[in-house]
Amino acid sequence: MSEITRVPLQPVAKGSVGKIWLGVIAAVVLGSGVAYGTRYKGVEIETVKAGTGASPTKSDVALINYVGRLASGKEFDRGEKAVLPLETVIPGFSEGLSKMQKGGKYVLEIPAEKAYGAEEKRNPQTGEVVIPANSDLVFEIELIDFKSAAELEQQRMMLEQMQKMQGGAGAAPGGAPMPMPPMPAPQP
């Protein structure tokens, strides 16, 4: 037979339970703060209307409608049928577009690290700060279409050949100049 040794329990001192709960709450708050500080700060995409087909790559040129806002909601840029080579825009914008599909509408959230970082952007005419340093950006984007740079170059060459065949470079029938292919718009 085995013997059981009894250990008497000491009564809990007055106010100790409150201190224990305060310690538990402090640990939870500290853990939440650490989790918040180390969370993934990447590009986030919300699908408003799903698109179809393939997604553009970083070597493609996209045709989009967009509205750019600061995280506070203040609009800083807007574009209709903007032609954007993905390799020339900010990293977060390119990363987000490469996950979208033609015909879709999306909300793209870009952390400051993948936008302009510590660099502030000013309006060239007024000198006003349009995007403050370390600003997170939010874009509403409609991806209308995209093409590879090679496809666009091929279309440009075909247009030049057609111009030459129609009586001289840069002239249409009747002497009117031929339209040039669309040029890339400034980056958002």
Side-chain angles (χ1 to χ4, degrees), residues 5-104:
T5 307
R6 293 185 184 191
V7 177
L9 296 175
Q10 298 294 322
V12 177
K14 196 173 198 176
S16 294
V17 173
K19 290 178 184 176
I20 290 172
W21 279 111
L22 282 175
V24 168
I25 291 170
V28 168
V29 168
L30 180 64
S32 297
V34 169
Y36 179 80
T38 60
R39 77 187 192 290
Y40 176 69
K41 293 182 182 173
V43 173
E44 294 182 24
I45 302 171
E46 175 189 337
T47 302
V48 176
K49 176 187 165 205
T52 58
S55 298
T57 65
K58 292 189 186 221
S59 63
D60 289 339
V61 178
L63 179 66
I64 65 170
N65 293 331
Y66 71 92
V67 176
R69 292 188 171 88
L70 301 174
S72 66
K74 180 182 177 193
E75 184 177 318
F76 64 85
D77 196 12
R78 177 180 291 267
E80 297 262 334
K81 295 188 178 176
V83 178
L84 299 173
L86 271 66
E87 61 188 19
T88 65
V89 296
I90 57 175
F93 203 87
S94 177
E95 183 180 327
L97 274 172
S98 67
K99 296 176 182 172
M100 297 178 186
Q101 295 173 309
K102 192 184 304 185

Side-chain angles (χ1 to χ4, degrees), residues 153-166 170 178-182:
E153 181 63 21
Q154 184 180 13
Q155 286 178 348
R156 187 187 66 78
M157 291 176 73
M158 287 174 60
L159 182 61
E160 284 180 5
Q161 285 179 342
M162 286 177 24
Q163 289 173 345
K164 287 178 184 176
M165 290 172 54
Q166 291 177 354
M178 289 290 288
M180 292 298 292

Side-chain angles (χ1 to χ4, degrees), residues 1-8:
M1 229 196 240
S2 61
E3 283 189 33
I4 298 176
T5 307
R6 293 185 184 191
V7 177

